[in-house]
Amino acid sequence: SSPDSDGCTPELEKAGLLNKTKIAEGGRKLRKNWSPSWVVLVGNSLVFFKDPKSQTPSSWKPGNSRPESSVDLRGAQLHWANELSSKKNVFKLRTVTGNEFLLQSETDSLIKEWYSTIQSVIDRLDRE
Ligand code: I3P
């Protein structure tokens, strides 16, 4: 049987490396500070870890590395936001608490996949 056959363990939907910057905290604008982030979409949350490439091999263990932060996707809003950056392939994620993040990838197909996967989680939560 699958590891989630009891339906209690949140399902890992997606994981990968994206460029990330937080641009607002509780509605207050922050200075941009782009950095690579290992992003994991699991259950109702987007969870951010340090770039695994910037860590020593021994410090990178999937189950026991501490997230830097995580975002509750319930009620969140997602928009393409190329006007908010000189970079290409940028979208903005805004949480109900007024935290705003930009996420970016140089790879068109990859960023499109992230966008649609996150949007489908937001849509699912909206229907609950
Ligand atoms: C910012 C940095 C960011 C850039 C931002 C700059 O300068 O170059 O990468 O955002 O542009 O202000 P600093 O490092 O001095 O803070 P993008 O890469 O997304 O364009 P912005 O102020 O127009 O947002």
Side-chain angles (χ1 to χ4, degrees), residues 43-99:
N44 303 345
S45 299
L46 202 59
V47 188
F48 301 120
F49 295 82
K50 277 189 185 149
D51 174 4
K53 285 184 301 203
S54 72
Q55 300 185 329
T56 63
S58 60
S59 74
W60 174 245
K61 296 200 183 91
N64 90 38
S65 125
R66 214 198 342 269
E68 294 198 304
S69 60
S70 95
V71 167
D72 182 1
L73 292 174
R74 192 179 293 275
Q77 295 180 328
L78 198 61
H79 297 287
W80 290 108
N82 286 313
E83 77 284 2
L84 294 183
S85 176
S86 61
K87 302 180 194 303
K88 68 170 192 172
N89 297 337
V90 174
F91 63 71
K92 182 171 86 172
L93 177 65
R94 186 185 192 284
T95 69
V96 280
T97 56
N99 294 342

Side-chain angles (χ1 to χ4, degrees), residues 90-116:
V90 174
F91 63 71
K92 182 171 86 172
L93 177 65
R94 186 185 192 284
T95 69
V96 280
T97 56
N99 294 342
E100 297 184 356
F101 299 85
L102 300 183
L103 293 169
Q104 188 266 347
S105 168
E106 289 302 307
T107 308
D108 299 14
S109 56
L110 205 144
I111 199 75
K112 284 180 192 156
E113 276 178 28
W114 272 101
Y115 187 94
S116 62

